[in-house]
Amino acid sequence: MKAIVKTGPEPGIEREDIPIPDPGAGEVLIKIEAAAICGTDMHYYHWNQAGQGFASKFNVKWPLVLGHECGGTIVKVGEGVVDRKVGDRVAVETHIPCGKCFNCQNGMAHNCSDMAIYGTSTNGCFAEYALAPSKVTFVIPEEMSFEEAALLEPAGVAMRAVEEACVQPGDTVVVNGCGPIGLLAVLILKAGNAARVIAADLDDYRLNLAEKLGAITVNPMKENAVERIKLLTRERGGADIVLETSGAVPAYKTIFDFIRLEGRLITVGHPGGEVPIDVAGNINTKGLSVKGIFGRRIWETWWNVSSLITAKKINVMDVVTHKFTLDECQQAFEQSAKGSGKILFVNR
């Protein structure tokens, strides 16, 4: 079968032909119909500091089939699998919890203390067929397409960020970073309580996408972002909430100035280095609430975001700008580096 493989700890990827795997105990074999490139895949492609750090933390082994955002159909089940069957249409949760630790047993399996990561600790889904533990497969609604299913995982990150932000009716929310997670957050916020959504990014291509989704846009390279946001929120003294989705270290020099006293900061993007923060000035004396996001609540967030999609409250396909086949993987990764929204690999 065709697969996109990272052969070792160096930049680049390869399109290789490898055997179709056979499911072991507790596993299912999925015929992949659609899969999406994530920021983590790009970090691995460039083999930058963020990619190296993530791979080290979650015990990567080479060669590795990349990919963790996907939708497809189960075509074979392994020994002991009773909760899934051949023919089930599924998406895959990236975080593979142990099921035994304190967090797993107290509703926090998304941040298991002995967690594996699909597409890092195990082979992933950038292939015609992929294995996955049955316990991390999510059966998608009949009316959901496979392409929409491939976006459930990243949409779930955006959904959880909005959930944890506790957005109240009338709130103004700044989404800092208009990559796919940020764009999906804009979609979800516009479907909910937020009165205004302000999207900030350095890339006009992505800002144009955010504007089409209904956000007010700010480019800090072309204007004073703090002054613009303060003007837009002058009655409150700043935004009620900032969702930081860029993962850019320099962003932390300004995002605290976007937020009003007693506001909330949700950090989603993973910076690739240390971030200096003035705790007294930016958090304590402002009465700021700060919450970090790592993954989706299993399975609460999945149900919430899939319900929004099937009820037509959001159209996640609005963030997709390019589609490629597995054979076009080099072009796909190059396009992601040049400028795009979400990029899909599709079976066609």
Side-chain angles (χ1 to χ4, degrees):
M1 68 174 184
K2 299 175 182 179
I4 300 172
V5 179
K6 187 163 187 67
T7 57
E10 58 190 13
I13 46 117
E14 301 292 336
R15 216 292 283 146
E16 296 187 353
D17 292 316
I18 63 175
I20 297 175
D22 206 40
E27 293 182 325
V28 296
L29 180 66
I30 305 167
K31 184 180 185 298
I32 302 298
E33 299 294 347
I37 295 178
C38 172
T40 304
D41 300 314
M42 290 305 301
H43 291 317
Y44 286 167
Y45 174 72
H46 293 295
W47 197 236
N48 56 23
Q49 183 179 355
Q52 292 172 38
F54 200 76
S56 175
K57 179 176 176 63
F58 293 105
N59 304 314
V60 71
K61 294 180 177 61
W62 313 112
L64 176 71
V65 177
L66 292 181
H68 55 269
E69 302 174 358
C70 62
T73 305
I74 294 176
V75 294
K76 195 172 184 179
V77 301
E79 180 183 354
V81 174
V82 296
D83 56 342
R84 297 290 181 266
K85 65 184 185 301
V86 171
D88 281 348
R89 303 166 69 250
V90 296
V92 177
E93 163 61 51
T94 302
H95 293 190
I96 306 174
C98 72
K100 302 175 183 178
C101 70
F102 176 88
N103 277 13
C104 283
Q105 294 184 26
N106 284 274
M108 297 173 286
H110 62 279
N111 215 350
C112 164
S113 61
D114 189 24
M115 182 167 64
I117 296 289
Y118 187 66
T120 292
S121 314
T122 71
N123 279 331
C125 62
F126 287 170
E128 292 180 285
Y129 295 86
L131 294 178
S134 66
K135 67 181 180 181
V136 294
T137 58
F138 179 80
V139 178
I140 64 174
E142 289 183 7
E143 58 267 50
M144 183 178 290
S145 71
F146 288 118
E147 293 184 5
E148 289 174 320
L151 297 176
L152 276 176
E153 196 265 17
V157 175
M159 184 80 226
R160 172 124 185 272
V162 174
E163 290 169 342
E164 297 287 358
C166 300
V167 182
Q168 299 301 305
D171 277 351
T172 292
V173 184
V174 174
V175 177
N176 192 68
C178 295
I181 299 296
L183 294 173
L184 288 162
V186 170
L187 272 178
I188 294 166
L189 288 163
K190 293 295 292 182
N193 287 333
R196 285 183 298 187
V197 180
I198 303 169
D201 201 286
L202 306 180
D203 187 322
D204 282 336
Y205 182 94
R206 290 183 167 183
L207 284 173
N208 287 335
L209 293 174
E211 188 171 29
K212 289 177 181 178
L213 299 179
I216 301 166
T217 57
V218 177
N219 186 334
M221 293 287 287
K222 297 183 176 181
E223 60 184 317
N224 187 311
V226 174
E227 287 184 2
R228 176 84 187 286
I229 290 169
K230 288 288 189 181
L231 180 62
L232 289 167
T233 60
R234 55 189 175 274
E235 298 88 356
R236 298 173 180 236
D240 301 283
I241 301 160
V242 168
L243 306 185
E244 204 308 291
T245 66
S246 74
V249 171
Y252 286 85
K253 294 180 180 179
T254 56
I255 58 172
F256 290 100
D257 295 326
F258 296 165
I259 312 172
R260 66 167 172 81
L261 299 177
E262 298 295 327
R264 303 182 289 287
L265 171 63
I266 310 298
T267 63
V268 183
H270 304 314
E274 293 185 2
V275 177
I277 295 176
D278 178 1
V279 174
N282 288 332
I283 298 176
N284 291 1
T285 58
K286 291 191 73 167
L288 202 69
S289 299
V290 181
K291 172 64 178 176
I293 298 297
F294 187 37
R296 303 133 299 279
R297 290 195 179 276
I298 308 170
W299 293 99
E300 178 184 346
T301 305
W302 285 80
W303 281 105
N304 289 344
V305 73
S306 64
S307 294
L308 284 179
I309 294 169
T310 54
K312 308 299 182 185
K313 294 294 186 181
I314 61 173
N315 181 7
V316 291
M317 296 304 294
D318 283 345
V319 308
V320 175
T321 56
H322 299 80
K323 299 179 185 180
F324 295 93
T325 65
L326 293 175
D327 286 327
E328 298 168 324
C329 60
Q330 298 293 346
Q331 298 99 300
F333 276 84
E334 288 169 10
Q335 184 64 54
S336 186
K338 289 188 293 187
S340 67
K342 201 65 172 172
I343 291 178
L344 293 181
F345 289 113
V346 293
N347 182 14
R348 63 186 184 200

